[in-house]
Amino acid sequence: MSWSRRQRLRLVRGGVYAATITALVLILLVVDWGALGGALFKWGIVKDQFPDILTTALRNTVIFTIFGFAGGLSLGLLLAIMRLSGVRPYRWFAATYIEVLRGIPLLVTLLILGFGIPIATGWKWPNPYIQGSVPLALVAGAYIAETVRAGIEAVPRGQMEAARSLGMSYSRAMATIIIPQAFRIIVPPLTNEFVLLIKDTSLISVLGVTASTLDLARFGRNGVNDTANATPLVVAGLVYLALTVPLTQLAAWMERRSKAGRR
Amino acid sequence: MDGTAFEGRPALSEPLVRIEALHKRFGSNHVLCGIDLYVTRGEVVCIIGPSGSGKSTLLRCVNMLETPSDGRVFVDGIELTDPDCDLDRARTSTGMVFQSFNLFAHMSVLDNITIALRKVLRQDRSAAEAKAQKLLTRVGLAEKATAYPAQLSGGQQQRVAIARALAMEPKVMLFDEATSALDPELVGDVLRVMRELAEEGMTMLVVTHEMDFARGVADRVVFMDSGAVVEEGHPDQVIGNPREERTKRFLANVRKRD
């Protein structure tokens, strides 16, 4: 006998539910929850993380992120304008820069710039914040440049033509007409770039840190070494989430709103 | 200084817009094949013709939004096709109105009209806004100064676009199918503003599909096809009693559509 399409679907779905529930029950029975909780979220250790995780680690993560983003945004804007320029060497330079820095892992770029340059030239980074933020900004600039370029290209061509027909120069039209509209379009993706940057700051500690320049990830890792317990990393992860989730939600909300606003 | 007196100051008989042997190619596509056209001061010239005939491209060559492949364009005695020409400055004497309005979407109506006055002509804000208010009254939108383009109908947007172009006090206004994107019931308001402008003596070069407007307002009608001027003359002649076969066919098609 043959079953209808709907009956077959119902059977498959029922099977998937049954398998999922069985797996969950097995996990609940097999795992030693007490031991797990003790290793990942021990309340005494959680409390010990405060207030330093906020006053030092979170503060440093925010500083690295803001420096990196400010630098990356300025550089990204410049690169995007060069990428769209009529001058071939500018276009070529921007395209190469973007390709190269997006093609190398951030960790490698950090090590090359943070360690390699001082070894090669004898020049020393003036302070650890600059040593960490500058490579971060240089890489963020490459990613942000592509976002900004997409934004500029999304502004209708007629806007530039209308501006030029009123006697504005190309650069004035860019500055007063095109770029303000481009930024409205790219606020949601830029917010997502910002979130990526928050997480990327966790790599900066490979350049070596002092007690005062610890970021969230390194703070958690040091805590693990001190306590022989994974709780400090879990707490650090939660602090990251407290930063990133509201921002991604904000970006999603702005994106929905701008979609609804477009008639 | 050689013998040419009034260097840079055209004689009164010099047409305001003069186009000589204009060619435009897009790759292998020859869009304009040697156009000669002039517009004298205060004259309203309507360009008609089938789509793809090159009439919009021609208009866009007058303020160099399109760069001609060959030929010369003069506006008010200044050669825009001269490589040394300061185009930004020259463009302040031509106002352009686009089919798709192209109002600046992130600015209020008032800012749309004043931005070029402030940034290009360096007028202070209060003077620019007073002028904008006057122009808005003239196009019948005095109460819309603080609105944003998205809050306006197409016809209102186009009238703001006309006010924006007029604010620069151009010597000639270029209209590129200004009513083609409008719902039929909104066309009349825009055409009325254009007609008033013509009556006030504004020099106008108008690409249009509105035969009644061309017939009623134009001093001269130019019929273009395949990148060339086929026929030109008084509207009663070109539209009312065309000589050329292609003009007759085009007008017959337009009437069939209406």
Side-chain angles (χ1 to χ4, degrees):
Chain A
M1 89 171 251
S2 70
W3 286 331
S4 74
R5 210 180 126 74
R6 177 182 287 188
Q7 281 171 318
R8 268 205 313 270
L9 202 69
R10 199 175 283 171
L11 201 72
V12 169
R13 207 176 277 163
V16 171
Y17 283 149
T20 311
I21 289 167
T22 315
L24 281 174
V25 168
L26 277 175
I27 290 169
L28 281 170
L29 291 175
V30 167
V31 172
D32 179 350
W33 290 100
L36 199 64
L40 291 179
F41 207 73
K42 199 170 184 182
W43 191 244
I45 298 178
V46 171
K47 277 194 291 190
D48 285 346
Q49 304 306 305
F50 293 91
D52 284 1
I53 194 170
L54 299 181
T55 54
T56 304
L58 174 63
R59 176 174 160 272
N60 287 329
T61 290
V62 168
I63 289 175
F64 282 129
T65 306
I66 287 178
F67 281 1
F69 190 73
L73 190 59
S74 322
L75 181 63
L77 184 58
L78 182 70
L79 285 168
I81 291 169
M82 288 173 79
R83 188 91 161 72
L84 296 168
S85 155
V87 185
R88 195 171 312 212
Y90 289 168
R91 275 207 308 272
W92 181 84
F93 173 82
T96 311
Y97 181 97
I98 291 166
E99 275 308 306
V100 168
L101 283 171
R102 290 203 310 171
I104 300 174
L106 174 60
L107 181 59
V108 175
T109 308
L110 269 171
L111 290 171
I112 291 174
L113 295 175
F115 286 151
I117 300 280
I119 291 170
T121 63
W123 179 76
K124 281 204 172 59
W125 288 95
N127 80 53
Y129 288 110
I130 297 180
Q131 188 187 18
S133 302
V134 167
L136 196 65
L138 292 177
V139 174
Y143 284 94
I144 291 174
E146 287 296 271
T147 307
V148 174
R149 179 170 74 107
I152 290 174
E153 285 177 338
V155 177
R157 226 167 67 107
Q159 296 284 308
M160 175 58 92
E161 292 184 344
R164 297 308 299 276
S165 80
L166 290 166
M168 289 189 203
S169 65
Y170 176 83
S171 44
R172 182 172 298 290
M174 268 290 182
T176 58
I177 306 299
I178 307 299
I179 288 172
Q181 293 189 65
F183 266 92
R184 286 170 183 224
I185 297 169
I186 61 173
V187 165
L190 273 186
T191 310
N192 290 327
E193 300 277 359
F194 190 80
V195 169
L196 288 177
L197 214 55
I198 293 175
K199 294 183 289 177
D200 284 347
T201 56
S202 62
L203 292 171
I204 287 175
S205 64
V206 300
L207 297 177
V209 286
T210 63
S212 67
T213 61
L214 283 173
D215 75 296
L216 272 171
R218 190 64 180 214
F219 185 88
R221 201 172 141 195
N222 288 358
V224 172
N225 289 342
D226 294 345
T227 60
N229 188 293
T231 302
L233 272 178
V234 173
V235 176
L238 290 173
V239 176
Y240 276 116
L241 283 176
L243 286 179
T244 56
V245 169
L247 284 171
T248 50
Q249 292 301 309
L250 177 70
W253 175 76
M254 286 187 296
E255 206 157 352
R256 277 198 305 273
R257 201 186 53 161
S258 79
K259 259 185 201 135
R262 232 173 279 140
R263 276 171 282 192
Chain B
M1 276 276 150
D2 57 19
T4 51
F6 309 115
E7 164 90 0
R9 223 184 283 174
L12 278 176
S13 57
E14 164 79 15
L16 190 57
V17 176
R18 185 152 56 85
I19 297 164
E20 287 178 356
L22 194 74
H23 288 263
K24 177 66 187 178
R25 296 178 194 87
F26 292 108
S28 62
N29 190 6
H30 207 162
V31 182
L32 296 176
C33 319
I35 303 278
D36 292 290
L37 186 74
Y38 67 91
V39 185
T40 57
R41 269 158 230 281
E43 195 180 23
V44 177
V45 175
C46 282
I47 306 175
I48 61 171
S51 52
S53 57
K55 49 198 193 308
S56 282
T57 306
L58 173 62
L59 198 71
R60 292 161 57 84
C61 283
V62 174
N63 67 354
M64 298 290 280
L65 283 184
E66 280 328 326
T67 310
S69 309
D70 201 5
R72 303 208 289 175
V73 175
F74 296 84
V75 175
D76 198 27
I78 293 166
E79 186 190 344
L80 276 69
T81 36
D82 181 344
D84 294 331
C85 177
D86 178 355
L87 276 183
D88 295 333
R89 199 162 144 216
R91 283 198 185 107
T92 59
S93 57
T94 59
M96 188 165 213
V97 177
F98 299 86
Q99 182 176 352
S100 48
F101 327 134
N102 296 348
L103 290 184
F104 304 134
H106 62 307
M107 290 181 179
S108 69
V109 163
L110 203 62
D111 285 343
N112 261 279
I113 300 174
T114 59
I115 184 79
L117 290 175
R118 290 185 278 127
K119 301 281 181 184
V120 178
L121 300 183
R122 304 262 163 227
Q123 295 182 3
D124 66 66
R125 185 181 276 272
S126 60
E129 287 184 351
K131 185 174 196 181
Q133 227 11 290
K134 238 180 256 169
L135 284 163
L136 278 175
T137 308
R138 182 164 163 194
V139 298
L141 293 170
E143 76 287 4
K144 296 290 186 190
T146 57
Y148 279 79
Q151 300 165 320
L152 302 179
S153 75
Q156 292 171 330
Q157 288 190 51
Q158 194 60 299
R159 284 182 281 152
V160 173
I162 293 172
R164 176 176 71 176
L166 288 175
M168 301 296 284
E169 296 181 13
K171 302 230 167 64
V172 55
M173 284 285 284
L174 311 171
F175 290 86
D176 187 5
E177 301 194 21
T179 58
S180 296
L182 294 176
D183 293 335
E185 75 271 20
L186 303 175
V187 169
D189 288 336
V190 173
L191 289 181
R192 197 179 59 243
V193 170
M194 289 170 67
R195 184 170 282 131
E196 284 166 9
L197 209 53
E199 282 160 5
E200 286 161 23
M202 174 60 79
T203 311
M204 291 163 61
L205 189 53
V206 182
V207 169
T208 186
H209 291 293
E210 298 288 335
M211 292 306 139
D212 292 339
F213 177 84
R215 189 141 192 195
V217 179
D219 298 303
R220 194 148 47 88
V221 170
V222 175
F223 173 69
M224 276 181 72
D225 192 14
S226 308
V229 173
V230 175
E231 183 167 0
E232 66 174 294
H234 192 274
D236 287 341
Q237 184 259 304
V238 177
I239 298 176
N241 185 22
R243 274 190 299 257
E244 299 288 331
E245 200 49 48
R246 276 191 283 178
T247 319
K248 287 178 190 163
R249 221 180 311 137
F250 169 74
L251 289 168
N253 281 335
V254 170
R255 289 200 186 97
K256 219 183 300 167
R257 201 184 50 200
D258 286 343

